[in-house]
Amino acid sequence: MQRRQPVQTKRPFEAVAQEHGGTVLRVCRAVVGLHDADDAWSETFLAALQAYGALPADANVEAWLVTIAHRKCIDLIRSGNRRAVPVDQPPERPSKIGIPGDNQAELLNAIGQLPPKQRQAVAYHYLAGLPYRDIASLLGGTPDAARRAGSDGVKALRAMLREEPESVRAFLVHSTSMTASSVPASAKGEIR
Amino acid sequence: MTLESPSDHAAVAVLLQPLDAGIEPALASLHARLVRSAQESHSLDIAYTVVDSPVGKLLLAATEHGVIRVAFERENHEAVLQLLANTVSPRILYAPSQLESAARQLDEYFSGTRKDFNLPLDFQLARGFRLNVLHHLPQIAYGRTESYAQVAQAAGSPKAVRAVGTACATNPLPVIVPCHRVVKSDGTFGGYLGGTEAKRRLLALEAAA
């Protein structure tokens, strides 16, 4: 005898926004920086609301939102590009004694210096909890490459936040040379 | 393939913690912005708010056609919203600005200064005979009552007294569509979605005004 499938229903979108809004904003902050994160979030949730009616009821809503956010962030990076991108010669690092205790600026600055794929892998895996298999399908490449991007990103962040300028510089130059940037050349050289 | 340890994941979460700074106020203003852009692009199917009243917190929900649902606290607002998601559309957002005039008119009603509502209403949750009953109810004057039998007569089916009871019990727009003015022929209150006490309060309010 077959059991009847339970009827799947979709929650009101408000509940989706309440539950996942914070995660999506953290992801956007990491991927496009503090300023553009608000635009990325807004475009993500408007697109999600518009498409919500057609989303299958059993879909993983957070993964779906992160996928939309990923695309919206890429659009933002391509259009305006105020986000940091890796350069061969990083400019002088800002003084750490500027704003005491401003951990956020420090962290965002560090994340901004990661190559895009490392930044995305770190955000999607550690902030949104996406498995590397799913991240690979977003970023292209293999799950192992996505996993490497994530762990290299974390290593680079730890190094930068530990205030070791020389090792950071060496690390960044090294990792940049391995990572094909999807960001237009015109955008390069701009930090934050 | 190596699996990372949960402690590694937790340590990275700590490293990324500063991203959370100021996230609550940011989300509040982003929510307001979402509501605005959703309205501009007609992507919002149902807006709702919750207002205080002498009969407890009331959920007010509206489509672009008008108010579609008023719900008492005892109906469980979350369950009511889920039912709206299932039967009308899940594209629902908390958007008090969309319900300002409904909220204001209810306020005036509860303070005794308003005797009838002038609001666009969306009756799509009611069908057939129940809808006939709902259309008749606003004709019962403020401060007056009718029996279930009188309403059955007025709605065109004198024998459908029980069905009138059902129509009142499933009224999606209580207070605004005054099912509280329908009472039993023996003068007792009869049932009410908001509870007998709420019905008594509403009738007392109208009798006093």
Side-chain angles (χ1 to χ4, degrees):
Chain A
M1 194 176 94
Q2 280 206 317
R3 286 179 64 110
R4 276 177 60 194
Q5 288 286 322
V7 180
Q8 294 272 7
T9 57
K10 260 180 281 185
R11 294 189 304 156
F13 194 77
E14 179 65 33
V16 170
Q18 291 302 327
E19 184 174 341
H20 304 293
T23 298
V24 172
L25 187 54
R26 279 179 211 104
V27 165
C28 293
R29 284 177 168 192
V31 176
V32 293
L34 196 60
H35 177 73
D36 283 348
D38 286 0
D39 286 344
W41 190 99
S42 296
E43 287 176 26
T44 298
F45 272 89
L46 182 60
L49 175 66
Q50 286 167 343
Y52 190 55
L55 183 74
D58 60 353
N60 177 341
V61 175
E62 188 161 280
W64 174 67
L65 287 169
V66 171
T67 303
I68 301 173
H70 168 71
R71 290 195 216 107
K72 295 298 179 188
C73 286
I74 287 178
D75 290 349
L76 272 173
I77 291 171
R78 286 195 177 134
S79 63
N81 211 314
R82 276 158 288 183
R83 191 44 161 133
V85 273
V87 291
D88 290 339
Q89 279 295 319
E92 289 295 308
R93 290 169 56 71
S95 162
K96 291 267 167 69
I97 39 178
I99 309 169
D102 191 354
N103 298 330
Q104 190 177 59
E106 205 178 337
L107 174 64
L108 285 167
N109 182 54
I111 295 175
Q113 295 186 49
L114 297 178
K117 282 195 180 173
Q118 289 186 12
R119 193 192 301 155
Q120 289 160 330
V122 169
Y124 304 156
H125 185 67
Y126 290 99
L127 295 171
L130 282 199
Y132 281 119
R133 185 183 60 247
D134 295 1
I135 297 173
S137 67
L138 286 180
L139 301 184
T142 64
D144 274 348
R147 178 185 305 277
R148 258 195 316 279
S151 77
D152 286 351
V154 166
K155 268 184 229 154
L157 283 180
R158 286 200 167 118
M160 280 186 269
L161 296 170
R162 238 182 261 130
E163 307 196 351
E164 290 170 341
E166 286 314 309
S167 65
V168 171
R169 183 163 304 188
F171 189 93
L172 281 173
V173 169
H174 175 65
S175 57
T176 304
S177 64
M178 301 192 306
T179 312
S181 167
S182 60
V183 171
S186 62
K188 292 205 173 186
E190 228 182 298
I191 295 289
R192 101 179 58 217
Chain B
M1 197 164 87
T2 52
L3 283 175
E4 68 200 327
S5 68
S7 64
D8 177 45
H9 212 286
V12 177
V14 170
L15 185 75
L16 298 173
Q17 185 88 55
L19 287 173
D20 282 11
I23 207 156
E24 290 306 326
L27 285 170
S29 74
L30 286 171
H31 186 282
R33 181 172 159 188
L34 174 63
V35 168
R36 279 196 306 276
S37 52
Q39 280 160 359
E40 279 161 18
S41 59
H42 302 282
S43 318
L44 185 59
D45 293 328
I46 299 178
Y48 75 92
T49 189
V50 176
V51 297
D52 281 319
S53 86
V55 291
K57 286 191 190 314
L58 294 177
L59 171 80
L60 312 179
T63 64
E64 59 175 352
H65 304 298
V67 181
I68 188 170
R69 190 73 165 89
V70 175
F72 293 100
E73 221 168 344
R74 71 203 298 264
E75 295 181 79
N76 186 343
H77 291 170
E78 204 175 314
V80 170
L81 287 170
Q82 183 63 62
L83 202 62
L84 286 171
N86 300 348
T87 56
V88 182
S89 165
R91 304 202 306 179
I92 299 174
L93 281 176
Y94 176 72
S97 60
Q98 284 296 92
L99 289 137
E100 264 169 17
S101 104
R104 196 192 58 247
Q105 292 194 22
L106 280 164
D107 231 27
E108 293 164 355
Y109 170 79
F110 285 117
S111 62
T113 58
R114 172 173 288 277
K115 304 208 159 154
D116 44 40
F117 292 93
N118 181 16
L119 291 168
L121 301 177
D122 183 337
F123 281 102
Q124 69 168 289
L125 296 175
R127 299 243 155 75
F129 181 69
R130 292 182 192 180
L131 188 57
N132 291 349
V133 172
L134 298 185
H135 282 319
H136 167 70
L137 295 180
Q139 292 166 32
I140 309 175
Y142 183 92
R144 307 292 292 273
T145 60
E146 277 184 13
S147 69
Y148 290 95
Q150 283 173 301
V151 174
Q153 181 107 39
S157 302
K159 288 183 181 158
V161 180
R162 290 185 69 88
V164 169
T166 309
C168 290
T170 56
N171 176 9
L173 295 160
V175 185
I176 293 177
V177 173
C179 60
H180 57 274
R181 291 178 198 152
V182 186
V183 295
K184 294 174 94 170
S185 342
D186 63 8
T188 58
F189 287 119
Y192 192 54
L193 280 124
T196 311
E197 173 57 19
K199 189 170 189 172
R200 192 195 62 76
R201 287 190 83 133
L202 293 177
L203 291 175
L205 164 84
E206 295 188 6

